[in-house]
Each structure stands twice: as structure tokens, then as C-alpha cells.
Amino acid sequence: MPSRGADPTRPQLSRDRVVHTAVDLADEAGITAVTIRALADRLQVKPMSIYHYVANKEAILDAISDLVVEQIDVPAPTADWEPEIRRWATSARHTLVKHPWAITLMQSRLTPGPATLRHHDAVIGTLRHAGFPLPLVGHAFATLDSYIHGFALQESTLPFDRDTVADQADTFLSHFPAETYPHLADFTVNHVLRPGYDFAAEFDFGLNLILTSLSHLNPTR
Amino acid sequence: MPSRGADPTRPQLSRDRVVHTAVDLADEAGITAVTIRALADRLQVKPMSIYHYVANKEAILDAISDLVVEQIDVPAPTADWEPEIRRWATSARHTLVKHPWAITLMQSRLTPGPATLRHHDAVIGTLRHAGFPLPLVGHAFATLDSYIHGFALQESTLPFDRDTVADQADTFLSHFPAETYPHLADFTVNHVLRPGYDFAAEFDFGLNLILTSLSHLNPTR
DNA sequence: ACCTGAACACCGTTCAAGT
DNA sequence: ACCTGAACACCGTTCAAGT
């Protein structure tokens, strides 16, 4: 039994619990809320206990970004590469939007984790299996990855609530008068703020555009 | 003359000096190095003096991200939209790679600054001038912006030195054996680490792909 | 082995004071 | 008006100690 006044129902600390709690904290309150001290609080432990399972905060950030990558569906190496790459891209966007803090975090990690490596290997494998020569794999990978990450990055900072959209036309125009930004005002009022507009739907447009062009460039097609 | 022991050659503090020093600091040592206290040190001033020119740290971050956007070339509304959009995209990539910390910062700012608005207005204006209907403007803007930001994000975390490339093949293979990640290993050793490979050059591939597809979709073409 | 208290060098920021 | 000192509530982390 615990020697101090700690909750006796408290499960034993572990690296896994530290890392998963960090993900929860980031999802709920953003990556800035992930502090050793807040983590300790939630785990019903003192800050210093965490250092028994993790080298330092950097290691926690490495771990949680790799944990997010693990959730992304990996493409299978079939002859019909396009649906597989599409499934991967869509899953990547969904995962990154669910954990917006991960986008920047992944990029700032200097040493990729095992999930990231496995992930890269699968995408390259699928393209190679479909007959893409190495230079085209490079082109395709850079283009797709840039697009997916860039889109998720934008999407993660958009206003969510449908309710607020109605107010936005007014607040938008009061802050940014149509005289100063005529095209932006026109575009916002007559397109973005119209019912039925959904930024998330734009993802498929760009993805289709890229996949279609790539399929034309695949020599074995 | 200054009343205390401060350097008499020290120019008077101003919002402009605060903001520009913040950019220098971020360029030299990353965005995490931009602290009120470090800023004060470099400006030969005490931390609290800064608050006379700026509401808080958030305001500084807002200001420096808008300052970076200001450096991006804006497209002109000519009939021949493609070279203008290309010039804009290229300039955006260059600017963002020069100030890598700005990519994430721009996205995390909730209230866009005047430079950002003027910038968006110009891009939309160019596309409209070329005859793009509003929905296609939305598609084009989302796709291009995602691609540009995503590419710059990836590029900003790449190893720079040409010298280190030679060592990378060894360190890569020792950390990520070819048995575990066969396609990644093949791609890296036989393509990425070959002389002549330049990740920055990949930018033009994706940009051409997107611009070509868009020009086919422009009804007035 | 697992967990902790005290301490250190950092943060942003408030408030009351100096010139 | 412009600048500052002292103080507060936060950080990550080291080191020496507890059970």
C-alpha cells in the first residue's frame, strides 16, 4: 500500500501513462498546457516522479508526435495505388485535425520515431509497387506531404462553430471594410459565408488534382 | 541625457525597435528565444520598459508574423495570371524559409494583420481578374496556400549543410536498417543522398502540377 | 525500485514607484 | 512621458534525500 497520503486507487506510474496523459492534455488545452507540472497533477504524482519514466520534456514531445503518426492509416502495396494513397491522405488529414498541435510538433522533431519511419516506408513502397521511378516518388511524396500538412495546418486554425458563421459577416466587414479589401470582402461574403460552404470539402479538390496529375505521369499506367 | 547609468548612445525605445529586434532574435535563435527578458537585454533596457510600447507578448507575435507576410511579393491583377501567381508562390516560399518560425506563428494568430489581409486580397483579385469563378478561387486558394505552407514547413526542418550529407548515408542506415524499412532505405540511399538531389527543387514540380491543372479548369482560358 | 522536497535559473506580467 | 524594482505565479530540471 502507498506509504504517503496518496490515493490508494491510483495506478502505478508508467511511461505509457505519462505519454497518453500528455496527448489528452494537448487535445483538451493545447500543446502549451503540456507541462511537467500539469502532467504530474493529472497523474496524482509529484513533478519529479515523471523523470523516472522519461528523460525530459523533449522525450515526451517526441513520443506523443510519434503516437499521433501511429494513428494514421498506412497504404497497402497493391497494383491499384490511387485508392490506397487517397485512403492514406484522408486518414492523415483526419488524424492531424483531431490533434492539431501534432502538425508543428512533428516537423520540429529532429529524430523521427519508429511510427514515422514505418509510415514513410509504406507510402514509398506503395508508389514503387505501382511502378513509380525514384525521381517521381520524390516528387509525389514531397507534393502530397506538403499538401496534406499544409491543409491540416490551415484547417486547425479555422473557426468551428456553425453558429458563429452568421455573426462573422458583420464582424468581418466592420474590421475589414470592402473599400480596403474589395476582393477579399467579395469572396468572403459571397462564397465563404454562404450556407453550404465547407472548408474541409476543399481537401478533396486539391487531392484529386494532385492524384490525377500523378497518374498521368506514371509510366506503367 | 539619460538619468541612469545606461549607455547614452542607446537610441530611444519604440514599438518598431521592439518588433524588429524580435524578428532578429527569432531568426538567430528560434522563436523560443524571443522572450521579453531577452528582448530587453538586447535593447539595453529593463523588461518592463517593453510594455510601454506593446500590450503583451501576444501582440509582439502578432506584429512579427505580419511583418514577415509584408515581405512576400504580391501578385498583380493582369490577364496573364499564371506568372503572377507563380511569382507570389515562389516569393512566399523564399520568405517563409528565411523565417521558418513564421509558418506556425502565422497559423496560430487568430486576428490577421493588415499585411495578411492585403495579401489575401491581392491573390483573390488576381484570380478573379483572370476569370476564375468564386468556387474555383476557393479551390485554387486553399490548394496553393496548403501546398506552399506545407512545403515551407517541411523544408524548414531539413538538414542544410552539404558536408553532412556524406555522413548521413551511414548514420541513416545504422539507425534505420534496410531490413526494417526497405523502401525508405532504397529511396534515401539511391535518390535523396545522391549528388544533385535538391529538396528545394521539388517545389517547382508540385507548383507546376497545381498551376497546370488550374489553368485547364479556368473557363475563360 | 519508486517517489519526493528543496532549490535554482528561468518565464510573463502586475503594481507601485522613480525621473 | 518614459523607464524601472520588487514581487508573484508560473516554467524545466538537478541533486540529495526519503520509503
Side-chain angles (χ1 to χ4, degrees), chain A residues 3 34-37 47-48 51 56-57:
Chain A
S3 43
V34 180
T35 68
I36 300 282
R37 287 166 135 104
M48 286 320 300
Y51 285 88
N56 49 29
K57 196 180 172 180

Side-chain angles (χ1 to χ4, degrees), chain B residues 15 19 22-23 31 54-70 101-102 105-116:
Chain B
R15 189 190 154 87
V19 171
V23 171
I31 194 68
V54 127
N56 48 31
K57 194 181 173 178
E58 283 293 289
I60 298 179
L61 299 182
D62 280 337
I64 63 176
S65 54
D66 207 50
L67 209 117
V68 167
V69 174
E70 231 175 73
W101 44 267
L105 207 55
M106 282 172 45
Q107 238 74 28
S108 65
R109 300 299 90 194
L110 296 173
T111 46
T116 308

